[in-house]
């Protein structure tokens, strides 16, 4: 697939670039610092720009099969919703946070909302915009992202307020799930929560 990766210089974005190239995709890296992703071999292209600006995105989305956002937010969602239909590109994988829709464990979710209210409110706005967009959106809500070696498995919840799995997820495993979702022809207009593999509570689902 031809995939435009937004947030390509970020910690998750770098994993998406590496894994996407390894899977044989034609990956275009989009980053505010155009020099940041240059260490990744095998990229189709690197585009420098601000993903919150439609004019920066317009040329980059042309001739892509999908856009994968390794960074969330309503300003980016708004710009993509403007330029993707113009370019005839429909598939959009968007990063979000599990806390946006989670209701349990009540205390942990409440404390997280107290601390990150503005971030979660903006991600909720982004989700609502995508759901009303008519695009082939896929929302992937992550628990707390950490660095470290990939587990090679994740826990996936389909119910929006479910809170299964470990509350920590490596960025490498999250990147793998984002790519799985981008590739999945059956995942049109879907949302899922992703956590680390549950510890001692039965088998976790492999990301792929
Ligand atoms: N951290 C968590 O525990 C957690 C949990 C759930 C979900 N998330 C979501 O997961 C995302 C990825 O996490 P991460 O830790 O990998 O993030 P990260 O390392 O901070 O990377 C985010 C990247 O996005 C880029 N970016 C931000 N706004 C942009 C814009 N307007 N145009 C182009 N690029 C832009 C940043 O670019 P610059 O380098 O130019 O700033 C940065 O390279 C987060 O953005 C958050 O929405 C995080």
């Amino acid at each position: 697939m031809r995939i435009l990766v937004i947030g390509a210089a970020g910690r998750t974005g770098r994993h998406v670039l590496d894994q996407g190239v390894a899977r044989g995709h034609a990956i275009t890296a989009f980053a505010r610092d155009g020099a940041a992703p240059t260490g990744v071999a095998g990229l189709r292209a690197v585009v420098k720009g601000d993903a919150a600006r439609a004019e920066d995105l317009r040329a980059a989305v042309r001739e892509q099969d999908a856009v994968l956002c390794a960074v969330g937010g309503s300003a980016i969602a708004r710009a993509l919703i403007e330029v993707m239909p113009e370019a005839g590109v429909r598939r959009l994988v968007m990063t979000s946070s599990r806390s946006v829709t989670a209701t349990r464990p009540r205390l942990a979710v409440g404390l997280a909302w107290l601390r990150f209210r503005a971030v979660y409110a903006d991600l909720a706005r982004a989700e609502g915009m995508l759901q009303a967009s008519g695009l082939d959106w896929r929302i992937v809500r992550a628990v707390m992202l950490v660095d470290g070696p990939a587990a090679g498995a994740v826990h996936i919840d389909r119910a929006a307020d479910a809170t299964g799995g470990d509350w920590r997820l490596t960025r490498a495993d999250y990147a793998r799930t984002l790519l799985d979702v981008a590739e999945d022809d059956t995942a049109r207009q879907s949302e899922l929560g992703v956590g680390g593999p549950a510890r001692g509570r039965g088998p976790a689902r492999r990301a792929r």
Side-chain angles (χ1 to χ4, degrees), residues 6-7 9-13 30-33 49-52 70-72 76 95-98 123 142-145 171 174:
I6 311 281
R11 288 164 292 178
T12 300
F30 188 100
R32 288 191 286 213
D33 175 2
D50 181 346
V71 56
I76 295 173
T95 284
S96 189
S97 167
R98 186 77 152 274
L123 290 173
V143 292
M144 191 174 103
L145 295 174
R171 290 181 170 87
Y174 183 51

Side-chain angles (χ1 to χ4, degrees), residues 143-192:
V143 292
M144 191 174 103
L145 295 174
V146 295
D147 291 319
V154 296
H155 176 95
I156 289 179
D157 284 313
R158 298 282 168 191
D161 66 345
T163 46
D166 195 287
W167 56 279
R168 289 158 303 183
L169 173 67
T170 70
R171 290 181 170 87
D173 288 315
Y174 183 51
R176 182 172 166 169
T177 306
L178 289 169
L179 283 162
D180 288 348
V181 172
E183 291 170 1
D184 187 351
D185 290 332
T186 69
R188 186 174 183 277
Q189 297 189 337
S190 61
E191 52 196 296
L192 56 115

